[in-house]
C-alpha cells in the first residue's frame, strides 16, 4: 500500500527481495503474493491509479519468479478500510497456493483463472485461460470490468464466457489489435471466477490478429 506513489518499480523491488531471501536461506523459497484488495472508489470509466498499478506489478512479479504464485483478494475489501475484515478468504487462498508450491499437490486448483493467450478474430478479442486455473464461471448476471484499448484510450467492452477456458470480448469495428484489461479499478466488481470460487486476478494481456 505504501508503494502506490512509485508503482512502476514495484515488481523489480519485489523480485529482488524474494531473490535476496532465497540467497540468504541458500535455497528457492515458495512465495505467495497477495494481490491488493478492493479499496476506495469504484469508477464509471476505466482508470489508471497507483492501486491498480501495484496490482499489475504484483501480477508481473508472480509471472517472473519461478516459485511464486498470486492470490487475488480484490473481492474481499471494503471501500473505507485499507485492511479488509475478511481475513478468512485471503488466508484460505494463500493456503491453497502454498499447498501446491510447498507441499506438491500438483492437481489442486489453487489459484484463479490466469490468461495465457489472446488474439483478435472476426471482430472479437478471444482470451484463453490456463487449464490448471479451473473451469470458468460467471458470478452475477454478466461479466463486468473488461476494458479494451482503442485509439490510445480504454473503454468498457462486452464480454462473455464462451467455453470453460475462453472469454470473448466484442470489439469496435475495425480494431485488429488491442490491449485487454480486467478488474482495472480501485474497487472493482469481480465477476470472472473458476468453479472452485477463486476469482481471476486483475490482469492485462495483448490481443493481436492472426
Amino acid at each position: 500500500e505504501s508503494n502506490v506513489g512509485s508503482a512502476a518499480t514495484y515488481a523489480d523491488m519485489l523480485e529482488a527481495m524474494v531473490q535476496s531471501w532465497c540467497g540468504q536461506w541458500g535455497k528457492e523459497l515458495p512465495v505467495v503474493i497477495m494481490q491488493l484488495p478492493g479499496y476506495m472508489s469504484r469508477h464509471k470509466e476505466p482508470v489508471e491509479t497507483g492501486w491498480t498499478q501495484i496490482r499489475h506489478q504484483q501480477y508481473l512479479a508472480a509471472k517472473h519468479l519461478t516459485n511464486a504464485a498470486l492470490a487475488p483478494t480484490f473481492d474481499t475489501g471494503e471501500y473505507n478500510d485499507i485492511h479488509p475484515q475478511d481475513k478468512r478468504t485471503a488466508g484460505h487462498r494463500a493456503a491453497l497456493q502454498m499447498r501446491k508450491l510447498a507441499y506438491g499437490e500438483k492437481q489442486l486448483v489453487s489459484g484463479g483463472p490466469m490468461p495465457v493467450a489472446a488474439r483478435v478474430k472476426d471482430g472479437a478479442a478471444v482470451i484463453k485461460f490456463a487449464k490448471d486455473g479451473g473451469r470458468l464461471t460467471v458470478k452475477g448476471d454478466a461479466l463486468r470490468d473488461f476494458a479494451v484499448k482503442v485509439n490510445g484510450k480504454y473503454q468498457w467492452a462486452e464480454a462473455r464466457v464462451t467455453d470453460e477456458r475462453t472469454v470473448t470480448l466484442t470489439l469496435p469495428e475495425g480494431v485488429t489489435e488491442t490491449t485487454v484489461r480486467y478488474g482495472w479499478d480501485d474497487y472493482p466488481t469481480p465477476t470472472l471466477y473458476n468453479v472452485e470460487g477463486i476469482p481471476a486476478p486483475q490482469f492485462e494481456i495483448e490481443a493481436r490478429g492472426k
Side-chain angles (χ1 to χ4, degrees):
E1 294 94 333
S2 61
N3 289 92
V4 295
S6 56
T9 60
Y10 187 77
D12 290 340
M13 292 193 296
L14 181 55
E15 291 170 40
M17 183 176 72
V18 171
Q19 290 162 356
S20 174
W21 289 345
C22 293
Q24 292 177 63
W25 282 88
K27 63 179 180 180
E28 191 172 60
L29 299 173
V31 174
V32 177
I33 299 170
M34 308 299 293
Q35 198 178 41
L36 287 182
Y39 178 52
M40 297 180 290
S41 301
R42 181 175 292 131
H43 297 82
K44 292 183 179 180
E45 301 296 332
V47 295
E48 185 79 81
T49 68
W51 208 253
T52 59
Q53 290 172 29
I54 287 289
R55 283 206 202 102
H56 183 55
Q57 293 286 308
Q58 291 176 309
Y59 175 79
L60 293 176
K63 290 179 66 174
H64 295 161
L65 291 165
T66 58
N67 203 34
L70 190 69
T73 66
F74 62 2
D75 59 339
T76 67
E78 291 86 40
Y79 78 95
N80 59 349
D81 191 345
I82 200 170
H83 300 292
Q85 297 178 31
D86 180 8
K87 303 295 193 291
R88 184 181 182 89
T89 298
H92 176 65
R93 290 176 185 165
L96 286 174
Q97 292 287 33
M98 195 55 73
R99 282 170 59 186
K100 194 168 191 176
L101 285 172
Y103 296 100
E105 297 183 40
K106 300 302 182 184
Q107 301 307 310
L108 177 69
V109 177
S110 60
M114 296 292 284
V116 293
R119 61 179 178 141
V120 173
K121 181 181 179 182
D122 299 330
V126 181
I127 307 171
K128 287 290 184 181
F129 288 79
K131 185 176 181 180
D132 63 2
R135 293 185 290 115
L136 301 180
T137 189
V138 179
K139 184 176 182 179
D141 59 346
L143 283 181
R144 306 185 192 283
D145 281 353
F146 275 92
V148 294
K149 192 175 186 179
V150 180
N151 297 325
K153 186 177 180 180
Y154 285 93
Q155 62 185 55
W156 299 125
E158 179 184 336
R160 63 194 186 280
V161 172
T162 45
D163 66 40
E164 65 181 28
R165 289 181 54 211
T166 306
V167 168
T168 301
L169 284 70
T170 302
L171 295 176
E173 185 176 353
V175 174
T176 57
E177 61 179 49
T178 188
T179 303
V180 177
R181 285 179 167 180
Y182 171 68
W184 219 272
D185 201 346
D186 294 332
Y187 193 73
T189 309
T191 53
L192 182 61
Y193 284 71
N194 57 27
V195 295
E196 286 77 15
I198 308 172
Q202 178 191 301
F203 68 79
E204 176 183 279
I205 191 168
E206 301 295 322
R208 294 183 171 85
K210 290 187 177 181

